[in-house]
Amino acid sequence: MAKPDSHQQCEKLLLSHWGLPKPVLAAFASKGLTELYPWQAAALECAAAGNNLVYCAPTSGGKSLVAEVVMLSRMHQAQQALHQAQQGSHRQAGALPRGLLVLPYLSIVAEKTAHLSLLLEGMKWRVTGYKGEEQGTPLAGKSERIAICSIEKANMAINHLIQEQRLHELVSVVVDEAHMLADPHRGAALEMLLSKLVACRGRCSVQVVAMSATMSGLDSLSAWLGGHLFLTNFRPVPLSEHAVFGGTVYAKAGQTSGGGSDANDWPLVEQRRLPVQGKSDRDALLALVAEVVVESHSVLVFCAGRAAAQSCAAMLAGELGRLVGPPSAAQAAARAELVAELRVALAGGVNAELEHMMAAGVAYHHAGLTHQERGVVEAGYRSGALLALTATSTLAAGVNLPARRVILRSLWQGAGPVGRAQYLQMVGRAGRAGQSPVGESFLMGQGAAGSATSGQWAAVCALMSAPLPALCSQLVAQPSQQPAASMGQPSGSGGQAAGSGPPQPQPAAAPLPGPERNAQPSLQQLLLHAVAAGLVGTGPSVLSLLQSTLSYHQLPFADLADAARSALTALRARRLLSLKPEGPSRPSAWELTPLGEAVVASMLPPDLGLLLHSRMSNLMSCLVLGGHLHLLFMLQPDPLFAIYDWNAWARLTKDFTAAHKRVADVEGVQLSYIDRRIAGMRGDAATDAKHARLAGSVLLDMVVGDASCVHSLECAWGQPNGLTKAGITRGQMQQWQAEVSKTAAMAALLASNAGWWQLEALLAPLSAQAAAGVRPELLPLMEVSGMQPSHAAALHAAGYLRPELLVCAAESDIAAALAAKLPANPLKRKDNDKK
């Protein structure tokens, strides 16, 4: 074959070469994007014919652009083909092609939605970001072209499209952070989603794109998806990695083994010595931060936990000014405005500690802060008002905040030591094209440098040079995760690809006896939903579904078949599936029971669906009305926390209303038990858990009723060594509030399909109220796009009870209503971009 000439190669580096519509090209051009890196063009070639694509590129390497071009060009081509077919046959317009972007974290849904909406403004394509249960099912609306959602929401969308026989409308699915397939908590859900698409290959022509910066062992992934595999190490901004021991900086010299005793074997070489700035700066962190901040560049410091992030930020805020000098007038003004924005976001609440740090150009970021606080911190860091940000490791994956320099102050992050994939996620934030010419990372270790036996030198060297762990399926529970009676014994070692090897046995439709009812929970959910969608019925269809999983490409087939038998037996024992007997002209087949239909409709995992079904069945005869407390007690599968100080719990119960006491009585929570625990008598785990569930329900009842009270609740309920050992942060309360909204919405669907319309009528409003975090009377105002709870409360107090009244009101009147209840902003932002 003739080698393509240089002119053809240059053409492929132009965005205009890849079939994007003109309005999209214009939108990219307005962002300064008209050309591609060579690796991006090469990756696009792999997907140009509609092939599935699996690719891995470093963070900040431009991998998102490839996925966007593939999705948008695919949708545009499908739309053009649809129009041509309609013109040729004079048929009525059919359903327009749709796309689905699957993200692992809700925190980046809004950012991606705004980005794609801007790109597609000229196309009039509707892009919807799904950040909560109250928004319904993605791609359910006829006008919706692209849905951006979590893994769980995407599963819901695929199920509905299959059941409604509309899967042909879906032409593109992009999965970001595809390494989540190996996540022990959410990997199975992502594998379920993709397995259903693989199983439906004959029904649709959807193109799947899976991308990540931290994947390894991708041959089985590309074989599973039937896609082209593309790998690159290209990074437009070079990253230099370093380690710091005792104030001495060591540069990464190569990828040689870190296991030898000779110093020459270590992948680190001494580079320079940092000045230590006092007792609080034993690891020379201040010098590393000051070197960057003095040039008005940003630095991101990852700390071991929330307390460490806050104390580190306090130290930087107190000392940086001495090293880098006072801020400029522009910096001081920007920081004062940021403090004012924080007060507005908190509806008059005050976080004095964070305000003081912001004035110094420093902040901290972790899950203990509210959404509003984190949003202001992120905006301030992106704008450059904040130059130093301390954070926990969750920020590396969930929030897009690049920095000139990234520092890991501890080898230990969160619940365990940093893994190779997590390390790459964090240091990958250093350097971003168009923002910084270089990126730098520093991993701070303890102990003596060069020692293989003491301190952290060997561990740091191993982390910086280790290969990525292989991508392993989480769909089939490993023996350590599986009940002893389970029949599945997956080995985790490489199995065989579909179609290879000797003929394989087909799992019989009839299950084998013996496994526990909770055997293979993820496989149970996949099989249950596959039966509901019509993908599974007979034994051969079970085999076909198993061949559509990643597990099939990684595990010995006998183990996978045993796991499927265990899962089917458990589903039958739990009355979620039944086996329709063989007839004269039909084989035996699996079908949903009424209980199974209700659980599938709710999208709840089988375990939780059955638990809530049982609890709701009991509530039908003994529900305590007059508030949400009893429903909230029912919705908690497990206690939110363990009670540490029973005296604290006793003090809180003194404020119980008659409804509180009635719920406790109905649920068998004896308040006299508290006195026995205070007296030092031994309790039992089940009764302790009931009390903890009641305590969590009371707390959630207050948060759901008015989310603005989380600051006062943190003072009353959340102090460490009080009700709980570690304390309860306002950020945790908001997280629980979001979980309640999600669970209540699913429970409402479960109640509807079970025929309990009375419970559905109570659960649906509870979900909406928990999602909004406001009193019921403010819910109509919360339907306005961008409305904040504090704004809704201010407008309601001024007499604006419904959105229609806002439409008719003068802008000055609305501004006055907001100003009357919200803190004044001393500095008003100048909207220069509109002038």
Side-chain angles (χ1 to χ4, degrees), residues 159-318:
N159 286 349
H160 278 266
L161 290 174
I162 294 174
Q163 291 169 4
E164 295 174 4
Q165 298 184 347
R166 293 174 47 221
L167 192 60
H168 62 278
E169 298 175 12
L170 188 63
V171 299
S172 180
V173 173
V174 172
V175 177
D176 196 7
E177 310 290 2
H179 61 268
M180 291 293 291
L181 281 162
D183 184 85
H185 303 292
R186 303 179 68 203
L190 182 54
E191 184 170 346
M192 283 187 249
L193 162 68
L194 293 172
S195 295
K196 284 176 276 192
L197 292 176
V198 172
C200 291
R201 276 177 180 156
R203 306 186 186 186
C204 64
S205 57
V206 61
Q207 183 179 30
V208 177
V209 176
M211 59 175 168
S212 175
T214 56
M215 290 194 297
S216 175
L218 301 181
D219 291 338
S220 59
L221 178 59
S222 58
W224 170 41
L225 297 178
H228 287 271
L229 176 60
F230 186 90
L231 306 174
T232 182
N233 289 320
F234 175 80
R235 203 176 191 274
V237 176
L239 173 65
S240 56
E241 299 177 57
H242 309 80
V244 180
F245 281 85
T248 300
V249 176
Y250 298 83
K252 183 177 178 181
Q255 297 292 332
T256 56
S257 171
S261 58
D262 190 334
N264 294 328
D265 290 336
W266 300 114
L268 297 173
V269 293
E270 185 172 341
Q271 187 182 67
R272 60 191 174 101
R273 180 75 183 172
L274 296 169
V276 176
Q277 304 290 336
K279 293 182 180 179
S280 62
D281 185 40
R282 293 177 181 174
D283 52 5
L285 175 70
L286 270 171
L288 281 177
V289 174
E291 288 174 350
V292 177
V293 171
V294 74
E295 298 178 0
S296 296
H297 292 303
S298 59
V299 59
L300 187 57
V301 183
F302 287 107
C303 300
R306 298 175 188 176
Q310 286 184 226
S311 63
C312 181
M315 186 265 289
L316 292 176

Side-chain angles (χ1 to χ4, degrees), residues 92 119 222 277 339 409 430 511 550 575 577 693 710 712:
Q92 200 172 21
L119 283 181
S222 58
Q277 304 290 336
V339 169
R409 203 182 186 195
L550 177 60
R575 298 184 295 112
L577 289 183
R693 275 180 61 203
V710 292
S712 59

Side-chain angles (χ1 to χ4, degrees), residues 445-521:
Q446 298 177 1
S451 172
T453 58
S454 64
Q456 296 180 343
W457 175 265
V460 166
C461 290
L463 177 63
M464 295 180 69
S465 59
L468 280 168
L471 191 71
C472 294
S473 168
Q474 299 296 312
L475 182 65
V476 175
Q478 300 298 319
S480 60
Q481 304 168 305
Q482 187 67 9
S486 171
M487 296 168 61
Q489 298 293 331
S491 68
S493 57
Q496 51 191 12
S500 65
Q504 301 162 343
Q506 296 184 3
L512 299 181
E516 297 287 336
R517 291 192 170 203
N518 61 342
Q520 301 295 345

Side-chain angles (χ1 to χ4, degrees), residues 539-713:
S541 63
V542 174
L543 173 63
S544 179
L545 179 68
L546 296 180
Q547 290 174 330
S548 301
T549 66
L550 177 60
S551 295
Y552 178 78
H553 293 266
Q554 294 188 341
L555 304 178
F557 181 77
D559 293 345
L560 182 58
D562 281 348
R565 292 188 185 97
S566 292
L568 287 169
T569 300
L571 289 169
R572 189 181 188 186
R574 302 168 98 174
R575 298 184 295 112
L576 295 170
L577 289 183
S578 63
L579 189 62
K580 190 174 183 179
E582 183 177 356
S585 59
R586 69 169 189 273
S588 58
W590 293 101
E591 57 185 13
L592 288 178
T593 63
L595 177 58
E597 290 178 0
V599 171
V600 167
S602 73
M603 286 300 297
L604 287 163
D607 288 345
L608 183 55
L610 289 171
L611 176 64
L612 294 186
H613 187 277
S614 174
R615 289 180 179 177
M616 284 193 287
S617 178
N618 295 332
L619 283 190
M620 288 298 294
S621 59
C622 61
L623 176 64
V624 178
L625 300 174
H628 298 313
L629 182 63
H630 205 178
L631 292 174
L632 291 169
F633 187 87
M634 179 271 296
L635 290 171
Q636 287 183 67
D638 297 298
L640 300 175
F641 47 75
I643 295 176
Y644 175 71
D645 184 350
W646 288 87
N647 280 294
W649 176 224
R651 288 191 295 270
L652 293 168
T653 59
K654 290 179 179 179
D655 296 327
F656 271 17
T657 64
H660 288 84
K661 294 175 181 177
R662 176 64 179 151
V663 170
D665 183 56
V666 169
E667 292 294 341
V669 183
Q670 297 179 359
L671 299 182
S672 59
Y673 178 81
I674 302 174
D675 296 328
R676 297 201 297 272
R677 295 293 277 129
I678 292 174
M681 297 177 63
R682 184 186 297 274
D684 66 90
T687 307
D688 282 2
K690 271 195 173 184
H691 276 266
R693 275 180 61 203
L694 181 61
S697 303
V698 174
L699 177 59
L700 280 173
D701 195 25
M702 292 185 282
V703 174
V704 169
D706 183 6
S708 63
C709 70
V710 292
H711 290 270
S712 59
L713 287 175

